[in-house]
Amino acid sequence: MVLVKRTIVKIDEELCDGCGACISPCAEGALTLIDGKAKIIREELCDGAGFCIGVCPTGALTLEERVAEEFSELEVEKNLRQSNTTYIPQKCNFCSNTEDNKYLLPIKHKGESMWCCTRCLPRLIHG
Ligand code: SF4
Ligand SMILES: [Zn+2]
């Protein structure tokens, strides 16, 4: 294990309500839900890119700079192959279609994080 000073995701357990919205946006599969709270499975899986941050409705996710295990592309590949992370399909906040039948995009508006499907997005853009 190699420790380095780097950017990594920080989870505020007080703020996390266990909605699971952050799990699927993490391309590395670094997040999971344990006892109703989001957790980083292992530090080496989190690259600190922070795509999960924009989708958290409670502000529980931030980035911090600290000493952590070095990010490992190899460990990510292994983890994704044998992943048993909890997967919760997301819903469009405007029409309730799920990602099973529509493409969903994470969006932010006036400080709020939401999911929007490709059918609802043009209406949002053009009013
Ligand atoms: S999106 Fe936020 S509130 Fe929901 S599980 Fe993830 S950290 Fe917790
Ligand atoms: Zn929609």
Side-chain angles (χ1 to χ4, degrees):
M1 173 175 54
V2 183
L3 292 174
V4 291
K5 191 162 186 209
R6 67 179 184 94
T7 304
I8 190 163
V9 166
K10 181 180 176 183
I11 303 165
D12 185 329
E13 288 205 358
E14 295 286 309
L15 293 177
C16 175
D17 67 4
C19 71
C22 57
I23 308 297
S24 57
C26 179
E28 286 73 33
L31 295 170
T32 190
L33 286 178
I34 297 173
D35 297 333
K37 299 286 176 186
K39 302 259 192 247
I40 295 179
I41 297 170
R42 294 199 307 278
E43 288 180 346
E44 60 195 346
L45 301 177
C46 175
D47 64 0
F51 193 62
C52 54
I53 291 169
V55 300
C56 176
T58 68
L61 300 172
T62 50
L63 290 175
E64 68 176 343
E65 181 127 327
R66 65 173 170 84
V67 174
E69 278 180 51
E70 193 171 31
F71 172 68
S72 166
E73 202 67 70
L74 197 70
E75 289 303 317
V76 168
E77 277 174 36
K78 270 198 242 165
N79 178 54
L80 290 177
R81 271 201 300 273
Q82 49 185 244
S83 183
N84 58 356
T85 52
T86 313
Y87 188 79
I88 301 172
Q90 303 300 309
K91 280 186 191 163
C92 171
N93 289 82
F94 303 91
C95 71
S96 295
N97 261 302
T98 73
E99 62 181 83
D100 294 333
N101 51 16
K102 289 277 179 288
Y103 289 98
L104 298 188
L105 304 161
I107 59 167
K108 288 204 78 131
H109 182 59
K110 295 181 178 166
E112 269 200 68
S113 297
M114 295 171 252
W115 287 104
C116 182
C117 77
T118 45
R119 199 186 63 176
C120 293
L121 191 62
R123 199 161 24 115
L124 281 187
I125 293 171
H126 302 297

